[in-house]
């Protein structure tokens, strides 16, 4: 251990670490040179001491400068929160802290999740890669719903992200960031095996383990049962633990990466005392839902205050968004069609705000379509860090858009879902049929066009999102050339990524047996 807490890391050091270590080594070499007696008559002790002091201060000043130029990064990811579930898009909901982030940052009006339900969306964001590269397409099994309703045998799903995949946290940790995960992980047993230094509440669980209030009977939040009063909401635990992490590191030389991944607003819907009553005129279920959103917002406010109190406001990039759309029966996402689990706009359009004082203009807006796969390269560029050797990233850094210093290259966004996802609320899902929210296919957006291909029958759908944001009128026949152009692009994209397409017929399929309900699974 060197003075002032510097230590040589056992991992491959970044360029910044090498510079700091070289300065420390210079101090040690000077000390060794003096102790050998060489030049003792021409190198007085007082001059040596002054030089040692100057070198030490240079080391500290360099480290401080490096920390100052690299922002802390706070990535806030809500669970099952739709684009219309925030106050600045819908006055029904009370989200003053999220609204403040919007006022102080940049709002992305065409932001997308990389998948329509939890695990695949998070896998794409954390890996920086589209689904075909890591194989996480849904939660649990891919043959959801009744067998007689499924024409094809879907592609087998990979339930969790391979620990060998370098995550955002792992890449930033290699560059000297201290990393913490709080809340829902859903990508493996333990986030500390996938790039994080500290884990608070993360596991394979897709919903709040044993509820939203302490005490919990099991799971990673059980350790806090004795640390907080009974009936403490877990969102308060997460905020408090995040602030403790900030305070423990506020005078440190390394920047922070905080992944605040709320379990809210995932089922079960549990009313928040002191908040739910103000929404009583909306009915019990919707009032409960609104109170849970407000609770999450309150927790975000506590986290932001923690940053302010620690003096970190000015040098912290905060990104707020959600992993997928809302349950459309509880919170319709109009004008967007459908909700969680669907690849219509309501299932993948998200609220997204980025605050970065001094770099992002307060109250600004960006209409460029962006996606969660862009977060990995964006955070790397914000941290002035290179893409790790051998790491494939499918997204694009949004820093030029954030700083309004340039543009990003024109591109299409893709979603590949070679799986079935059963209905959640029947007709209220507002999907193609009451049996499934998603049947196997691929979707893409390019410019104003949204294009879908479904593998069961080869159906192609083309929507003009400018004139038809609800995706009600299929204009594929009216625009055959555009349809063919986008289909060629989609086919080429699948080929480039090796995206599997299900073709094997399901022997249990009954085309005349479409009656009955698929709403038979607790998995969402």
């Amino acid at each position: 251990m060197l003075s002032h807490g510097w230590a040589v890391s056992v991992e491959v050091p970044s360029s910044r670490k090498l510079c700091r270590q070289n300065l420390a080594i210079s101090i040690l070499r000077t000390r060794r040179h003096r102790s050998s007696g060489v030049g003792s008559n021409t190198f007085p002790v007082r001059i040596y001491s002054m030089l040692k002091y100057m070198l030490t201060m240079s080391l500290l000043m360099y480290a401080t400068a490096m920390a100052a130029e690299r922002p802390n990064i706070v990535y806030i990811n809500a669970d099952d929160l739709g684009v219309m579930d925030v106050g600045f898009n819908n006055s029904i909901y009370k989200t003053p802290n999220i609204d403040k982030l919007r006022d102080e940052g940049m709002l992305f009006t065409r932001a997308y999740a990389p998948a329509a339900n939890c695990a695949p969306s998070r896998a794409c964001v954390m890996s920086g890669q589209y689904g075909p590269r890591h194989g996480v397409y849904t939660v649990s099994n891919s043959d959801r719903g009744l067998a007689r309703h499924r024409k094809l045998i879907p592609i087998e799903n990979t339930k969790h992200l391979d620990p060998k995949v370098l995550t955002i946290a792992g890449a930033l940790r290699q560059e000297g960031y201290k990393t913490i995960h709080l809340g829902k992980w859903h990508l493996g047993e333990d986030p500390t095996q996938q790039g994080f230094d500290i884990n608070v509440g993360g596991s394979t669980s897709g919903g709040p383990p044993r509820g939203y209030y302490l005490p919990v009977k099991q799971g990673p939040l059980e350790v806090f049962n004795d640390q907080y009063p009974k009936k403490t909401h877990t969102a308060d635990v997460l905020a408090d633990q995040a602030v403790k992490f900030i305070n423990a590191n506020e005078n440190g030389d390394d920047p922070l990466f905080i992944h605040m991944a709320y379990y809210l607003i995932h089922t079960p819907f549990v009313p928040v005392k002191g908040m739910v009553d103000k929404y009583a005129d909306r009915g019990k279920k919707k009032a409960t839902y609104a109170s849970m959103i407000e609770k999450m917002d309150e927790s975000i406010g506590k986290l932001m205050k923690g940053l302010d109190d620690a003096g970190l406001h000015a040098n912290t990039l905060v990104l707020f968004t959600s992993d997928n759309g809302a349950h459309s029966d509880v919170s319709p996402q109009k004008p967007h069609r459908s909700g969680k689990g669907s690849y219509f706009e309501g299932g993948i359009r998200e609220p997204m705000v980025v605050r970065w004082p001094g770099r992002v203009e307060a109250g600004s807006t960006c209409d460029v379509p962006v996606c969660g796969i862009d977060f990995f390269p964006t955070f790397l560029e914000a941290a002035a860090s290179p893409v790790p050797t051998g790491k494939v990233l499918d997204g694009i850094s949004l820093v030029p858009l954030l700083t309004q210093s340039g543009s990003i290259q024109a591109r299409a966004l893709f979603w590949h879902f070679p799986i079935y996802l059963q209905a959640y609320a029947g007709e209220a899902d507002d999907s193609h049929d009451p049996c499934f929210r998603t049947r196997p296919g691929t979707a893409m957006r390019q410019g104003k066009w949204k294009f879908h291909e479904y593998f069961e029958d080869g159906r192609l759908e083309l929507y003009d999102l400018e004139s038809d944001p609800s995706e009600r009128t299929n204009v594929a026949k009216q625009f055959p050339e555009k349809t063919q152009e986008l289909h060629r692009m989609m086919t080429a994209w699948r080929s480039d990524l090796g995206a599997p397409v299900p073709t094997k017929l399901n022997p249990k399929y009954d085309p005349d047996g479409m009656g009955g309900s698929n709403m038979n699974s607790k998995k969402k």
Side-chain angles (χ1 to χ4, degrees):
M1 181 72 70
L2 304 181
S3 61
H4 300 284
W6 295 108
V8 178
S9 173
V10 296
E11 64 190 28
V12 178
S14 67
S15 58
R16 293 185 182 86
K17 287 183 178 178
L18 286 172
C19 290
R20 295 194 305 234
Q21 291 164 15
N22 288 339
L23 282 170
I25 290 169
S26 296
I27 294 172
L28 295 179
R29 285 176 175 171
T30 301
R31 181 180 299 161
R32 186 166 58 248
H33 179 75
R34 177 174 177 267
S35 64
S36 67
V38 178
S40 58
N41 293 330
T42 60
F43 201 82
V45 173
R46 183 172 297 179
I47 295 177
Y48 163 77
S49 298
M50 184 178 296
L51 179 58
K52 176 184 175 182
Y53 173 79
M54 291 173 63
L55 285 170
T56 302
M57 292 306 297
S58 296
L59 172 61
L60 292 174
M61 291 172 64
Y62 180 84
T64 300
M66 289 299 97
E69 77 175 20
R70 295 185 295 163
N72 305 297
I73 299 172
V74 178
Y75 168 35
I76 304 173
N77 192 27
D79 194 1
D80 294 356
L81 185 82
V83 66
M84 303 306 295
D85 293 348
V86 289
F88 59 76
N89 281 338
N90 189 342
S91 61
I92 289 174
Y93 299 110
K94 310 302 179 186
T95 57
N97 295 293
I98 298 172
D99 296 349
K100 185 179 179 182
L101 286 176
R102 188 269 173 272
D103 292 339
E104 295 176 345
M106 176 176 284
L107 171 66
F108 286 81
T109 62
R110 295 171 181 169
Y112 287 90
N117 60 338
C118 309
S121 177
R122 293 159 191 269
C124 291
V125 170
M126 279 292 147
S127 68
Q129 298 173 337
Y130 280 121
R133 296 197 192 276
H134 51 70
V136 183
Y137 295 114
T138 188
V139 177
S140 192
N141 53 303
S142 59
D143 56 349
R144 305 270 283 274
L146 299 180
R148 68 174 183 269
H149 294 167
R150 300 191 304 264
K151 185 176 182 179
L152 300 173
I153 295 177
I155 300 300
E156 185 175 354
N157 182 52
T158 300
K159 294 182 179 180
H160 302 128
L161 190 64
D162 190 328
K164 295 179 182 178
V165 174
L166 182 66
T167 64
I168 292 174
L172 290 175
R173 188 166 67 173
Q174 288 180 1
E175 289 296 309
Y177 275 73
K178 294 181 179 178
T179 61
I180 183 172
H181 166 84
L182 305 107
K184 178 171 174 174
W185 182 236
H186 212 187
L187 299 179
E189 291 286 347
D190 186 351
T192 62
Q193 303 302 311
Q194 294 175 279
F196 288 93
D197 297 313
I198 299 172
N199 170 38
V200 178
S203 67
T204 58
S205 179
R210 302 299 175 180
Y212 278 110
Y213 290 91
L214 298 182
V216 294
K217 294 183 179 180
Q218 64 182 52
L221 290 173
E222 185 180 10
V223 296
F224 299 107
N225 285 345
D226 297 330
Q227 299 181 36
Y228 295 89
K230 289 183 178 181
K231 298 185 179 180
T232 297
H233 199 287
T234 54
D236 294 325
V237 175
L238 297 182
D240 185 60
Q241 290 298 311
V243 172
K244 287 182 177 180
F245 174 77
I246 291 168
N247 292 337
N249 293 283
E250 64 176 311
N251 296 319
D253 298 315
D254 294 322
L256 311 177
F257 175 61
I258 299 173
H259 181 218
M260 178 61 87
Y262 289 101
Y263 283 101
L264 293 163
I265 317 297
H266 198 283
T267 54
F269 296 140
V270 181
V272 180
K273 186 177 180 180
M275 294 180 178
V276 68
D277 290 345
K278 70 183 70 174
Y279 305 103
D281 61 341
R282 305 204 68 233
K284 183 177 179 180
K285 193 172 185 179
K286 292 185 177 182
T288 295
Y289 184 82
S291 73
M292 294 170 71
I293 291 175
E294 185 175 348
K295 185 62 182 179
M296 180 186 66
D297 180 83
E298 179 188 70
S299 177
I300 291 172
K302 293 177 181 179
L303 173 56
M304 295 301 103
K305 184 178 185 300
L307 290 170
D308 293 346
D309 292 346
L312 300 181
H313 174 99
N315 193 39
T316 299
L317 184 161
V318 178
L319 189 156
F320 168 80
T321 190
S322 178
D323 63 346
N324 48 251
H327 290 296
S328 54
D329 64 322
V330 181
S331 182
Q333 297 297 296
K334 295 179 180 178
H336 311 298
R337 182 176 178 181
S338 197
K340 177 179 179 177
S342 169
Y343 286 86
F344 288 122
E345 293 288 283
I348 50 178
R349 281 285 279 269
E350 303 303 332
M352 177 177 161
V353 172
V354 179
R355 186 187 77 183
W356 191 6
R359 301 297 302 275
V360 171
E361 180 183 352
S364 56
T365 299
C366 180
D367 297 328
V368 177
V370 299
C371 185
I373 58 168
D374 298 324
F375 298 167
F376 201 134
T378 299
F379 292 163
L380 285 181
E381 184 171 352
S385 299
V387 176
T389 301
K391 179 63 178 179
V392 175
L393 293 175
D394 290 319
I396 297 175
S397 172
L398 304 180
V399 168
L401 299 178
L402 291 169
T403 59
Q404 300 184 55
S405 60
S407 59
I408 62 174
Q409 67 188 59
R411 58 170 176 168
L413 298 175
F414 295 91
W415 297 266
H416 186 64
F417 44 102
I419 53 89
Y420 288 90
L421 191 60
Q422 84 286 0
Y424 180 73
E427 292 184 0
D429 287 331
D430 198 12
S431 187
H432 274 307
D433 61 69
C435 297
F436 296 98
R437 285 172 285 170
T438 296
R439 290 179 181 268
T442 306
M444 66 180 288
R445 173 168 183 166
Q446 185 192 49
K448 70 175 184 177
W449 300 105
K450 183 78 173 295
F451 181 68
H452 302 252
E453 178 181 14
Y454 293 95
F455 302 142
E456 286 186 325
D457 54 8
R459 185 172 72 258
L460 304 179
E461 298 179 2
L462 180 67
Y463 300 98
D464 181 345
L465 294 179
E466 289 184 359
S467 61
D468 181 24
S470 299
E471 294 172 279
R472 300 291 179 185
T473 305
N474 180 8
V475 295
K477 292 183 178 180
Q478 288 93 312
F479 297 92
E481 292 183 359
K482 176 58 67 174
T483 299
Q484 293 171 12
E485 173 193 344
L486 296 179
H487 194 213
R488 285 194 297 269
M489 290 179 61
M490 179 182 283
T491 302
W493 176 83
R494 286 199 297 253
S495 177
D496 289 344
L497 269 68
V501 174
T503 57
K504 188 175 180 180
L505 295 178
N506 174 21
K508 298 181 180 179
Y509 174 64
D510 179 5
D512 299 321
M514 294 303 289
S517 173
N518 271 334
M519 296 183 286
N520 58 354
S521 173
K522 293 182 180 180
K523 301 184 183 70
K524 303 299 190 290

